[in-house]
Amino acid sequence: MPDILAQSLTLPCGAILPNRIAKAAMTEGLASPAGVPTPQLEKLYGLWSDGGAGLLLSGNIIIDGAHLERPGNVVIEREPDAAMHEALVRWAQAATRNGNHCWAQISHAGRQTQKNVNPHPKAPSAVKVGLPGGQFGQPIALTVPEIEDIVRRFGVCAAAVKAAGFTGVQVHAAHGYLLSQFLSPRSNLRTDQYGGPLVNRARALLDAVKTVRAAVGPSFPVAVKLNSADFQKGGFDFADSLQVAQWLAAAGIDLLEISGGTYEQPKLLGVEGLEEEEPQQVAHSTLMREAYFVDFALAMRDKLSIPLMVTGGFRRRAAMEQAITAGGADLIGLGRPLCVVTDAPARLLAGQTELPRYEAQLALFPPWLSFLNRFKTLRTLASFAVQYWYYAQLDALGKTGAADPEKSVLAATRQVMSQQKRWLDARGRL
Ligand SMILES: Cc1cc2nc3c(=O)[nH]c(=O)nc-3n(C[C@H](O)[C@H](O)[C@H](O)COP(=O)(O)O)c2cc1C
């Protein structure tokens, strides 16, 4: 078989990705307290650019500093001043130094903003994140002018990253962040033009995409990350997703990345949520055992002609190749393995057959304490703790150039929690 992963991909806007492997967005937590990119971000993205992926997606870049996805996010709320512009330029330069693409993922966390950032975040409706542990506050419903302002900011942010040398943008509409909250009938109870039928629930996303396209012009890649489903009873389901995907294609996006789940149901990481997973109407293939969303992409393919990227669970090169040959994916997104093995794409392209599965080993509680996972609050804490291990790897890569995979989940949790607290204290003093 010709090396399918090494083939280039031409996007509808005319841009060409040099191969079929993308580093999926992973929040870095390495911005300054003012939300400005730092030399650590340059170091991290330089490593990833050297690592062989045709496309790098940045972690969440936030369009409103009161709605961080986490402390340490890059924040672009307005047209950048000279210092912010220069910092973005240096970051984009490092991230594209091997001729690969680097796209900025732009986002607003809505109700998934942590309480220590904002005890009363804005969201489509006043529906709190349904997790125990008090990590998220009671949201306040957005007014229509506030929604219009958010849509405008997506455009401002897109123009800013384009001017700085990023080679594309991705609007984040997955994983339970603001635009995904609008899509879900569980978190969107509005009765105005942004709520109710799907066409209304998709309005904020479609308006944001339209504004972004107007800001960057026709020949610049615009992508969207969308859930195949939220996997929750009464939530955004696959039929909804398929319809929204078709509207996005009609709106002229260049790539749709398919993921799934939210904080309440973290299917994106293959992790079980506290509530039962809501089954979806989709044909199952054997590929699904490895790649969580590939069957959804296969089912979407019949209705969509735009390129699809599928992210979540891919570890074996054969599965990646099969997903592409079967027509389910044009681009393979990889996340967790690249938190340690920054050149995983180059290794795959050179013939390595499999990437490490850190997720299979990591746990907050040692086996003899695993009974603690029966308690909902502790289970939630434990799954955030594993996520903090990956955050600690990215932190080590940005600061020292090397990951620290021997670090325990507990040590990583302590480290990340204290770093986030220091960052927020420093931000509060600005
Ligand atoms: C440390 C970490 C940070 C993440 N941050 C983001 C993010 O900023 N934006 C996003 O869309 N997804 C984010 N994700 C989800 C990944 O993009 C990806 O969907 C997920 O890790 C599944 O892919 P994998 O199985 O290859 O890791 C993050 C995942 C991890 C592990």
Side-chain angles (χ1 to χ4, degrees):
M1 195 196 324
D3 195 348
I4 203 157
L5 293 177
Q7 287 173 7
S8 64
L9 177 68
T10 303
L11 302 174
C13 69
I16 299 174
L17 303 179
N19 61 48
R20 301 306 183 97
I21 307 179
K23 180 208 78 74
M26 286 190 287
T27 175
E28 310 88 5
L30 288 169
S32 78
V36 177
T38 56
Q40 289 83 40
L41 270 175
E42 291 163 38
K43 189 187 280 275
L44 176 60
Y45 279 76
L47 286 169
W48 277 330
S49 176
D50 297 346
L55 168 64
L56 305 178
L57 282 148
S58 78
N60 274 282
I61 293 178
I62 293 291
I63 59 164
D64 175 357
H67 294 87
L68 301 175
E69 167 269 333
R70 77 150 157 143
N73 286 147
V74 172
V75 180
I76 305 179
E77 304 181 300
R78 57 184 73 89
E79 200 182 320
D81 60 16
M84 179 66 173
H85 174 72
E86 283 310 313
L88 286 166
V89 167
R90 286 193 297 272
W91 182 19
Q93 272 170 356
T96 54
R97 70 187 182 194
N98 284 285
N100 57 289
H101 273 255
C102 180
W103 298 356
Q105 182 184 68
I106 55 185
S107 177
H108 181 298
R111 69 177 189 154
Q112 285 188 170
T113 305
Q114 292 167 31
K115 205 186 219 170
N116 54 6
V117 171
N118 187 343
H120 296 294
K122 297 286 173 72
S125 302
V127 183
K128 211 173 155 185
V129 177
L131 287 179
Q135 212 181 336
F136 302 97
Q138 176 62 47
I140 299 170
L142 285 157
T143 64
V144 170
E146 284 171 336
I147 298 171
E148 288 165 352
D149 184 53
I150 288 170
V151 167
R152 183 189 61 80
R153 284 171 189 239
F154 272 99
V156 171
C157 182
V161 294
K162 183 183 178 195
F166 284 84
T167 58
V169 290
Q170 181 184 65
V171 173
H172 195 353
H175 303 171
Y177 296 107
L178 183 76
L179 293 173
S180 160
Q181 290 157 34
F182 270 103
L183 292 172
S184 167
R186 285 181 43 141
S187 48
N188 181 353
L189 308 180
R190 301 180 74 95
T191 52
D192 62 6
Q193 68 271 37
Y194 295 99
L198 185 60
V199 65
N200 285 356
R201 283 182 277 125
R203 192 177 306 281
L205 166 60
L206 290 165
D207 285 355
V209 166
K210 205 161 131 199
T211 309
V212 164
R213 177 55 84 197
V216 298
S219 51
F220 193 74
V222 174
V224 170
K225 189 166 187 170
L226 184 71
N227 277 353
S228 48
D230 292 352
F231 299 94
Q232 293 181 290
K233 205 173 185 52
F236 180 73
D237 65 15
F238 181 55
D240 292 339
S241 180
L242 190 55
Q243 176 60 71
V244 173
Q246 290 172 81
W247 287 332
L248 289 168
I253 66 165
D254 293 288
L255 179 84
L256 184 71
E257 180 183 354
I258 299 162
S259 185
T262 66
Y263 280 7
E264 291 174 346
Q265 187 62 276
K267 183 84 178 162
L268 58 140
L269 298 166
V271 172
E272 213 182 300
L274 296 180
E275 43 181 293
E276 208 176 311
E277 180 182 325
E278 180 73 356
Q280 304 295 313
Q281 293 291 332
V282 70
H284 289 282
S285 73
T286 50
L287 257 179
M288 186 88 159
R289 264 184 245 140
E290 164 138 351
Y292 322 139
F293 306 111
V294 77
D295 287 350
F296 296 98
L298 273 167
M300 279 186 171
R301 174 54 79 214
D302 293 342
K303 298 260 164 68
L304 285 180
S305 57
I306 54 167
L308 298 178
M309 168 170 162
V310 184
T311 303
F314 280 108
R315 302 293 178 262
R316 287 182 310 116
R317 197 179 52 160
M320 301 174 201
E321 290 172 343
Q322 206 186 329
I324 297 176
T325 351
D330 299 284
L331 202 61
I332 303 294
L334 299 175
R336 287 163 288 184
L338 275 80
C339 292
V340 177
V341 188
T342 56
D343 63 348
R347 289 172 187 237
L348 290 167
L349 292 169
Q352 188 168 314
T353 54
E354 196 159 358
L355 298 176
R357 294 168 196 267
Y358 303 107
E359 60 277 12
Q361 280 117 43
L362 294 170
L364 177 62
F365 304 123
W368 62 276
L369 283 177
S370 60
F371 71 91
L372 290 174
N373 286 314
R374 265 187 265 141
F375 301 98
K376 286 186 172 180
T377 306
L378 292 178
R379 182 148 34 116
T380 305
L381 179 77
S383 72
F384 276 100
V386 168
Q387 193 66 359
Y388 290 164
W389 184 87
Y390 294 103
Y391 291 179
Q393 301 307 320
L394 300 185
D395 189 72
L397 285 169
K399 289 179 180 158
T400 70
D404 183 9
E406 299 310 316
K407 192 181 285 279
S408 71
V409 171
L410 184 61
T413 302
R414 286 211 186 101
Q415 174 196 320
V416 170
M417 286 179 83
S418 82
Q419 280 171 334
Q420 295 196 353
K421 181 171 185 319
R422 265 184 279 132
W423 191 93
L424 281 176
D425 290 347
R427 188 169 174 85
R429 289 194 296 275
L430 287 177

